[in-house]
Amino acid sequence: MERQRPAGRPPRLVSSLGLGQRCSEVTLDQERGLLAWRHPRRGGENYFVPTSEIIAVEESELNKKQRNTGKWHKLAKPHSFTVYYVKKARNHRWWCRDVTFWCVDENLCNQWTQALKELLEMQKCRPKRLLVYINPYGGKRQGKRIYEQKVAPLFSLASISTDVVITEHANHAKDNLFEVNINKYDGVVCVGGDGMFSEVMHGLIGRMQKDSGIDQNNPKAPLVQCNIRIGIIPAGSTDCVCYSTVGISDPVTSALHIIIGDSQPLDVSSVHHNNTFLKYSVSLLGYGFYGDILKDSEKKRWMGPMRYDYSGFKTFLSHHYYEGTISFQPAKHTLGSPRDKDSCRTGCYICKESEQQLAEQQKKCGLKNEEDEEEWKVIKGKFLAINAVNMSCACPRSPKGLSPAAHLADGSADLILVRKCSRFDFLRHLVRNTNQDDQFDFSFVDVYRVKSFQFTSKLSEDNGSNVADIGKKRFGQFCRDHPACCCNIADSTWNCDGETLDSSAIEVRVHCQLMKLFARGIEENCKDEAAYSHSSIEHLL
Ligand SMILES: Nc1ncnc2c1ncn2[C@@H]1O[C@H](COP(=O)(O)OP(=O)(O)OP(=O)(O)O)[C@@H](O)[C@H]1O
């Protein structure tokens, strides 16, 4: 974040200002970008706020009560200003808090507001104009209310102007993004769930490729990075992308990340079939278990968010496995591994290093197109689930996610293969996705970090033949003779970030840091922050 000192301004502003009915020493260290004060009550507790986390500064009116009490009432009319700032609470939740300082000297008051406003002006990463899409039917149909009551007032406080589109049908936002004058905006915000985010992402990435003349149907085309950031205001039944990139699904927290102009690059996987573009994915590509849940739950949309529990239970009981071949290229450029104990956190060095490594590798390979000649591993088998995740896929039910050590921006996906096993063992694996135990520590689970992969089901391998006939011929008799057999003569469906894909044979490639979000990844826990705050303030005062 840019933090240059305004020309001619002192590096430190230290004044004794009124806070409530008492006096507090307030310091603005412009070089370090830190506002600090000591609370006159609460045991003289120190407060500090990085100027990058100040939302707004306003000249303010003191209320009568404040003016008529304490020693200040004897003095001339006091002048005051209010600072709105980010207050970090537990579990990655952010609040907007404010503090009002006052003094009798009008010049001093002006000096403070001017200095703070100039510092805010210099935060060039902050958006000034946003395009907002609201899905009024997402989740519990609260998108519009959430935006109007919780988000719009914060945007207006931060002087952000908005153009708001309330979507009228599916793909409204996506189609609109191909038409609007996108250069007018510093970012696009979607209010809804993962489906709505996916729609906006497809619109933006698609628009970028179209404007640059890139053919999305070519699976090997180097895609153009999308520099317009997307902000997610969670208001859906599943808000996994928001949870995995911010650490919480909370509209106010997300709005504050947008206002202060956070930026988090994100890997995106492109999915193709026979040189035809199908979809992009940023979270989960799941075949077998998660594909079957989605397919079943789509028929029960009337049940609302509960449909996922119902279909999950039903799919678990059906215990279907699918035969197929998966081939993949290991991601050798990244330093991490899916079995690492450390997770991807704000400013992750593995993501930074991996991006550099990948860029160097691509430079070296250059036009030789050596990527194709790189090693491919091939695995044939019977799978209950094949999951490829570009991020941890954490959510409130699975706080560490399907792959806890997956990185947001290292140019790789974690490929998790759950082979045929008993129902009981599969249940043990699923339960470990929700607790602290290692979900990969089973003989029937393999996990690989990959940069591309392909999958063909046993049925679709038999090209040109009638798939249903082959299925019947190959498995029908056996299944009739053995009713307990759970092999499925039909294909499963791919679940691509909550949407079904039309083809089971797919080709997937990870594009490193193809897009950016208004987020900063998940921060280290608050205990560490508190310690940091304390030492910083001691140093400063
Ligand atoms: N006005 C609209 N009417 C109908 N569908 C819409 C509308 N606007 C957006 N959509 C579609 O609704 C889908 C689901 O939206 P969203 O992700 O916001 O809600 P959700 O309840 O979390 O979704 P899901 O039901 O997939 O879990 C998106 O794929 C989006 O394309």
Side-chain angles (χ1 to χ4, degrees), residues 168-237:
E168 287 163 12
H169 51 85
N171 288 327
H172 184 167
K174 184 179 153 202
D175 296 344
N176 191 249
L177 277 164
F178 275 86
E179 290 159 10
V180 290
N181 176 5
I182 198 77
N183 298 324
K184 263 188 4 191
Y185 301 103
D186 304 312
V188 179
V189 172
C190 60
V191 184
D194 287 336
M196 192 58 193
F197 165 75
S198 173
E199 202 188 289
V200 167
M201 171 185 78
H202 278 82
L204 258 190
I205 298 179
R207 171 73 185 267
M208 289 297 145
Q209 310 319 308
K210 189 177 161 230
D211 289 354
S212 315
I214 304 271
D215 176 12
Q216 290 187 98
N217 284 321
N218 176 1
K220 296 201 173 75
L223 299 180
V224 171
Q225 270 184 339
C226 203
N227 285 321
I228 296 178
R229 285 166 288 175
I230 302 180
I232 310 171
I233 302 295
S237 358

Side-chain angles (χ1 to χ4, degrees), residues 131-147:
L131 175 58
V132 181
Y133 292 105
I134 303 176
N135 175 4
Y137 301 113
K140 294 181 183 145
R141 302 180 168 219
Q142 296 294 308
K144 199 161 165 282
R145 188 190 61 80
I146 288 173
Y147 180 76

Side-chain angles (χ1 to χ4, degrees), residues 287-289 318-324 379-386 416-429 442-446 475 478-479 482 484-488:
Y287 185 83
F289 186 65
S318 70
H319 200 63
H320 284 148
Y321 59 84
Y322 302 89
E323 228 176 324
I379 296 176
K380 278 177 188 280
K382 294 173 180 172
F383 305 101
L384 281 164
I386 296 172
I416 306 157
L417 307 178
V418 185
R419 294 165 184 278
K420 183 185 161 191
C421 63
S422 71
R423 264 196 196 86
F424 179 65
D425 277 344
F426 188 44
L427 181 64
R428 285 170 64 212
H429 164 71
F442 290 107
S443 58
F444 54 90
V445 179
D446 297 319
F475 303 107
F478 180 78
C479 294
H482 301 83
C485 168
C486 297
C487 73
N488 209 346

Side-chain angles (χ1 to χ4, degrees), residues 18 38 55 76 78 88 103 123 128 161 227 252 279 345 376 386 389 413 444 473 479 501:
R38 208 181 277 275
I55 298 156
K88 295 180 182 177
C103 58
Q123 314 277 333
K128 288 195 161 58
S161 66
N227 285 321
V252 169
K279 276 222 178 296
R345 289 288 178 259
W376 281 86
I386 296 172
V389 297
F444 54 90
K473 240 186 266 165
C479 294
L501 293 183

Side-chain angles (χ1 to χ4, degrees), residues 92 244-247 257 263-264 344-347 408 519-523:
H92 312 286
S244 299
T245 53
V246 175
H257 280 283
S263 184
Q264 171 64 50
C344 185
R345 289 288 178 259
T346 305
L408 293 172
R520 58 169 65 169
I522 296 177
E523 291 185 293

